[in-house]
Amino acid sequence: MLKLPPSYLEPLPAAFFPASTPLPFSRADFGPDFQWGASAAAYQTEGAWQQQGKGASIWDDFTRRKGTIRRNEHGRVAADFYNRYETDLDLAAGMGLTDFRFSVAWPRVLPEGTGAVNRRGLDYYDRLVDACLERDLRPMLTLYHWDLPSALQARGGWANRNIVNWFADYAQIVARRLGDRVPQWCVLNEPMVFVGAGHLLGIHAPGRRHLGAFLAAAHHATLAQAEGGRALRAVLPATAQIGTTFSCSHLTPHRPGNALDEAATRRADALLNRLFVEPTLGLGYPVAELPALRWLLDRYHKPGDEQRMTFDFDFWGVQNYTREVVKFSPWLPLQWAALVPARQRGVPHTDMGWEVFPESLYQMLKQFAAYSNAPRLLVTESGSAFQDVVLDGRVHDVARRAYLQAATGQVLRAKQEGINVGGYFAWSLTDNFEWAEGYGPRFGLIHVDYETQERIVKDSGRWYRDFLGGATVAAVPTTEQAAHL
Ligand code: IFM
């Protein structure tokens, strides 16, 4: 018998419907130039891991190690986007999206990370860009969404300072080929995640658990972020928009007013929300809140790096999924702060275990916009994972749809307060490989049957289409209504 997930059976909790949503609202409230997109990433969607000269990436290696990924899954086929991109772009265009964000797999272009270019790899991205343009989808290209060439990992990867030059060279190879048609570029995807989860927690590739490797990788990613921006600017047309993306979460203390928890929250904020942002502005690292960063400065920082870490990005990509609640913890030496999981707090959460808290997006837009020289903001990722069921050819993903409405409402709230936010990109266009969680969590607006590769636009995707077509979000649904959305 078909087992229905809770979001199909029970009314959605009030967390999905923040009272702060500026109702009613429609696309027109965001203005004619607002960008409406969906995002994707190479390793999570492309598959084709050995096709047409692609080299190995650290995710090809990491997923081969038993026990690293749920059910030992991997991205060798994924959503087969490499072979099915035209179908997926047709569906994206059918939803009325104005933009599509994808990433380039570095080892597809440079199988050894440096040196000989794999022409067929670059040709693929050339075709992909043209396919976007043919459908009136403005392409946004991310240079690094975590799939480092294995050959570079063998030389130390992000822990080796030479990566700054390797990355800048790669950036220019891609920009020289595609710069005439790609108007918007993201240098890195969420450095805090690939540096932290990959080098300190060991739960993402390359699977290291080493404080020194973490600090080295953090510094080199910060340098590469700015150097990558400069490398792009040197070869792209003057009209190209160059940005980079940051993961972020609004943070609140577990016990408001408690001095230890409040201080722990400030430390966690420095680590999770400020570490990679402030150096770009010339503010350096948040050493006052995170004294452990002095080791980074002593060991890896060279004269002139303060300046090298700066770059005047045209936009910052804000990537938000939840908030975090922080408490003091004497056991975590880097920040003496622990995140209290949503399950432990008994609050509504997604399939990732992340609290449903759409207002976090508003809070983070506000926090980033508060820097005096902050560039334009784009929400380059926002979304939610819930279990889906295919019933008579439809996916009634009530929860994801409600989350999408709430998140876009929070963006409008920020915009109406004067925050310079110019776009919203849902994560993700299709279901895909969710890193250490494998194929379990589904974030897509489009359902993927991984056996047949059949696609179904979910109700969330249908709602996005209607909204982009002019439909109004009229009222905060009551919980009873929500069950029948
Ligand atoms: O799937 C990831 C994506 O690769 C980076 N940002 C967060 C998403 C959800 O975990």
Side-chain angles (χ1 to χ4, degrees):
M1 211 181 75
L2 191 60
K3 198 168 161 271
L4 291 174
S7 61
Y8 277 66
L9 299 170
E10 293 154 21
L12 291 178
F16 283 87
F17 311 112
S20 57
T21 311
L23 291 167
F25 70 88
S26 70
R27 177 185 185 165
D29 295 309
F30 293 78
D33 299 330
F34 199 83
Q35 298 174 230
W36 292 101
S39 295
Y43 189 77
Q44 294 179 274
T45 60
E46 283 179 1
W49 70 305
Q50 289 179 316
Q51 274 184 32
Q52 301 192 309
K54 175 183 167 290
S57 83
I58 55 174
W59 274 93
D60 293 319
D61 303 337
F62 189 63
T63 52
R64 215 177 282 125
R65 280 162 50 184
K66 287 264 170 297
T68 54
I69 312 293
R70 289 265 167 108
R71 300 166 295 276
N72 293 316
E73 289 169 341
H74 50 72
R76 289 174 214 154
V77 178
D80 197 27
F81 182 74
Y82 190 80
N83 297 302
R84 294 170 196 266
Y85 65 88
E86 297 199 89
T87 308
D88 289 347
L89 294 180
D90 282 343
L91 294 171
M95 276 182 215
L97 304 187
T98 59
D99 292 69
F100 176 63
R101 173 175 173 242
F102 64 93
S103 77
V104 170
W106 186 344
R108 215 180 267 295
V109 174
L110 290 160
E112 296 300 315
T114 58
V117 172
N118 174 33
R119 191 183 42 75
R120 288 176 298 169
L122 261 184
D123 287 349
Y124 161 68
Y125 292 109
D126 199 285
R127 292 193 299 276
L128 176 59
V129 166
D130 282 346
C132 288
L133 296 172
E134 279 157 20
R135 290 162 178 81
D136 270 340
L137 291 165
R138 200 166 18 208
M140 176 185 278
L141 186 157
T142 302
L143 284 168
Y144 187 74
H145 201 127
W146 310 354
D147 40 1
L148 187 75
S150 305
L152 296 185
Q153 187 59 41
R155 295 159 78 181
W158 286 100
N160 181 341
R161 188 174 170 111
N162 289 328
I163 197 160
V164 180
N165 294 332
W166 301 334
F167 181 69
D169 290 347
Y170 156 64
Q172 292 202 332
I173 288 167
V174 179
R176 285 208 175 91
R177 177 70 184 267
L178 303 175
D180 58 337
R181 282 155 295 149
V182 175
Q184 357 176 49
W185 296 70
C186 294
V187 176
L188 298 180
N189 188 74
E190 299 181 349
M192 187 59 223
V193 180
F194 73 79
V195 169
H199 299 80
L200 191 62
L201 304 177
I203 55 172
H204 279 191
R208 300 197 66 184
R209 280 198 186 98
H210 191 277
L211 183 58
F214 168 74
L215 294 174
H219 188 49
H220 303 146
T222 305
L223 290 168
Q225 181 173 259
E227 208 57 61
R230 276 186 285 278
L232 288 178
R233 197 154 276 162
V235 301
L236 287 175
T239 51
Q241 296 287 298
I242 301 170
T244 197
T245 75
F246 303 111
S247 53
C248 58
S249 295
H250 176 55
L251 303 176
T252 48
H254 186 49
R255 295 164 296 179
N258 176 288
L260 286 175
D261 285 359
E262 299 269 359
T265 304
R266 284 193 292 277
R267 285 192 296 274
D269 186 47
L271 184 69
L272 300 178
N273 296 328
R274 298 171 49 201
L275 182 61
F276 292 95
V277 177
E278 296 188 358
T280 71
L281 298 174
L283 300 173
Y285 292 118
V287 183
E289 290 80 4
L290 294 174
L293 292 176
R294 280 194 223 292
W295 301 346
L296 181 160
L297 297 180
D298 292 347
R299 288 187 205 178
Y300 306 111
H301 197 275
K302 297 200 171 160
D305 279 2
E306 187 92 8
Q307 182 57 32
R308 278 185 206 111
M309 296 190 300
T310 66
F311 184 70
D312 55 333
F313 284 105
D314 298 309
F315 68 89
W316 285 345
V318 176
Q319 310 206 152
N320 174 265
Y321 291 85
T322 188
R323 75 159 165 181
E324 298 290 354
V325 171
V326 187
K327 71 173 180 191
F328 172 77
S329 163
W331 307 115
L332 296 171
L334 195 63
Q335 54 171 22
W336 300 289
L339 306 180
V340 189
R343 285 193 181 95
Q344 205 171 303
R345 287 183 277 128
V347 293
H349 54 79
T350 69
D351 235 21
M352 296 292 284
W354 298 341
E355 180 181 0
V356 174
F357 196 82
E359 283 161 300
S360 178
L361 182 51
Y362 161 81
Q363 296 290 354
M364 289 317 301
L365 288 168
K366 219 166 124 173
Q367 180 165 336
F368 282 144
Y371 290 105
S372 61
N373 40 358
R376 190 163 67 99
L377 304 178
L378 295 175
V379 178
T380 40
E381 283 186 26
S382 157
S384 56
F386 294 101
Q387 289 171 43
D388 290 327
V389 177
V390 179
L391 283 173
D392 298 330
R394 289 280 295 268
V395 178
H396 300 296
D397 57 336
V398 176
R400 190 178 296 96
R401 172 180 148 155
Y403 187 87
L404 187 57
Q405 291 182 347
T408 47
Q410 292 301 314
V411 175
L412 181 59
R413 180 181 169 205
K415 202 169 160 52
Q416 287 178 342
E417 288 181 18
I419 288 170
N420 186 8
V421 51
Y424 180 87
F425 290 63
W427 182 268
S428 179
L429 181 64
T430 63
D431 291 334
N432 58 53
F433 177 76
E434 179 51 31
W435 308 112
E437 305 302 321
Y439 293 98
R442 290 178 177 267
F443 281 90
L445 301 172
I446 299 171
H447 183 271
V448 175
D449 179 327
Y450 295 113
E451 299 288 315
T452 63
Q453 293 295 345
E454 193 195 338
R455 270 67 168 152
I456 296 173
V457 179
K458 303 180 193 177
D459 283 5
S460 54
R462 288 165 167 255
W463 174 78
Y464 205 24
R465 178 199 63 199
D466 294 347
F467 175 73
L468 296 181
T472 299
V473 178
V476 177
T478 66
T479 51
E480 290 76 31
Q481 280 169 334
H484 306 289
L485 275 175

